Amino acid sequence: MVEIPMDWIAEHRRRIARLDRSFRAESFCAPRGSLVQLIEGVAIALHSQEHAEDSWRAFWGARITHEIEVWPGENSTVAEIGAALTHAVGEAVRRNRRMGTEVDARDRTLTLTAMSRDDDVAEAAIALGFRPDAVWAWTPRTRLEERLPTVRGVCVERTDDPSEIAETMGKVQRFDGRFMAGFRDRPTSEGYRFKYAMGELERGAWAGVIRVKGQTVSLCTVSAGDILPNLAVGPAAHIGFIWTEPQWRGRGYAGEMLRTGLDTWGRDAEAVTVGYAVNNPLSAPMWLGLGFRPAVTVYSLSTIPAG
């Protein structure tokens, strides 16, 4: 582990403050177990992990994941950021030679997490073959509530049935995963989804449904907004996932569930966060239209040599 000099940390904080005031400029935390290095005046962290075949991470990020975080200094150039990223990619390839030799190359992913407003990082990443894959976004709660549609005559019920939540989660995975580079051909097992849903309910997540003639046509979950710890936006609620059956879309059901969820669960929330696939033709425009602003972008390198 390389000790990052304080003068560089001050540079990085100034860069963050200049790019996005919503970020806590004092934050500097690499993923646990990461190797942190300072390359060309750019701090870079690489976290590599092998996951069980039937796990949430294995579904979204394949069996072996390499995750890069990058922290440029105040005046870091695109070339300097590119040099740091090139070093991290090379290290990921070297680690592949030592990790899970039986894991197919298609089940390995390399991702980069960076501020959405950092154009220099985006330019350097795209030049190396990375492509935007997912976004974590946020919006002030008041802005969201102003834009949510109101639907008359629709009843939103709370559900604590993990089987109902798990079944809907599988539909979200199959649909949303088509637009993500790390998507595997099958969703996580029903048993794993059930366990995940139970865990969310035990942690206090709210799940709401809209039913038509006894059939669930729409479901939404809202929980604690700890997905973006670097945001200085006050207490937040996080939208876990939303699903509406295709024939019932366009009726404002998602908005009605969100309104109810925020009223019943996130009463103290000042902001709302959500994650979505950049290329999803339905969810991405919906969240942007509701006033969400991208804060963190996850870039994926579609092909990474097994080593």
Side-chain angles (χ1 to χ4, degrees):
M1 183 76 70
V2 175
E3 184 176 349
I4 303 300
M6 287 302 298
D7 57 350
W8 176 87
I9 293 176
E11 280 193 27
H12 175 66
R13 290 173 178 171
R14 288 194 292 269
R15 184 186 185 93
I16 288 180
R18 186 179 75 244
L19 292 173
D20 196 329
R21 293 182 179 179
S22 66
F23 273 82
R24 287 202 301 260
E26 70 274 16
S27 297
F28 183 83
C29 182
R32 187 179 60 182
S34 299
L35 174 66
V36 177
Q37 294 178 280
L38 199 60
I39 307 293
E40 298 288 344
V42 178
I44 200 86
L46 176 65
H47 183 58
S48 303
Q49 205 170 5
E50 184 172 0
H51 309 277
E53 184 173 1
D54 187 18
S55 69
W56 184 254
R57 291 304 306 275
F59 174 80
W60 291 112
R63 291 286 307 284
I64 291 179
T65 58
H66 303 282
E67 299 170 274
I68 299 171
E69 288 201 44
V70 59
W71 297 278
E74 182 179 14
N75 299 308
S76 295
T77 65
V78 174
E80 291 169 341
I81 296 170
L85 292 179
T86 298
H87 177 85
V89 171
E91 175 61 25
V93 172
R94 286 189 287 274
R95 291 183 184 185
N96 262 336
R97 301 191 184 107
R98 307 188 298 268
M99 297 178 64
T101 54
E102 77 287 353
V103 177
D104 190 278
R106 293 172 298 179
D107 285 342
R108 303 165 188 256
T109 58
L110 178 59
T111 59
L112 163 67
T113 301
M115 293 176 58
S116 297
R117 290 195 170 191
D118 200 326
D119 295 339
D120 289 344
V121 171
E123 184 177 344
I126 290 173
L128 289 175
F130 284 89
R131 291 294 179 268
D133 201 12
V135 161
W136 297 110
W138 78 282
T139 186
R141 177 178 177 170
T142 52
R143 181 194 300 169
L144 175 61
E145 291 180 327
E146 290 172 355
R147 301 190 181 194
L148 288 177
T150 300
V151 184
R152 299 186 181 278
V154 172
C155 177
V156 178
E157 307 173 40
R158 178 168 183 161
T159 178
D160 291 317
D161 181 358
S163 296
E164 186 174 30
I165 298 171
E167 180 181 357
T168 304
M169 187 190 306
K171 295 177 181 179
V172 174
Q173 287 183 335
R174 283 187 290 269
F175 183 81
D176 207 41
R178 300 174 193 175
F179 309 103
M180 301 184 72
F183 175 66
R184 298 187 68 188
D185 292 336
R186 62 184 183 280
T188 50
S189 71
E190 182 179 352
Y192 186 87
R193 295 197 304 272
F194 181 87
K195 180 180 178 181
Y196 179 87
M198 282 289 293
E200 287 293 285
L201 292 173
E202 290 171 358
R203 283 190 289 271
W206 175 89
V209 297
I210 294 176
R211 296 189 175 96
V212 176
K213 296 181 180 180
Q215 298 296 314
T216 301
V217 300
S218 197
L219 189 146
C220 167
T221 64
V222 178
S223 60
D226 57 355
I227 299 298
L228 295 173
N230 289 331
L231 279 177
V233 295
H238 179 69
I239 302 166
F241 62 88
I242 285 184
W243 175 260
T244 300
E245 297 293 338
Q247 63 271 32
W248 295 96
R249 292 173 186 163
R251 301 170 185 246
Y253 286 179
E256 197 64 25
M257 287 189 298
L258 280 177
R259 189 189 306 278
T260 304
L262 290 174
D263 286 344
T264 59
W265 183 91
R267 294 176 181 174
D268 297 328
E270 298 174 10
V272 184
T273 63
V274 69
Y276 58 86
V278 172
N279 296 315
N280 187 319
L282 297 180
S283 63
M286 179 180 75
W287 297 125
L288 293 175
L290 287 173
F292 281 85
R293 181 166 62 78
V296 174
T297 299
V298 179
Y299 300 84
S300 290
L301 193 63
S302 58
T303 57
I304 172 175

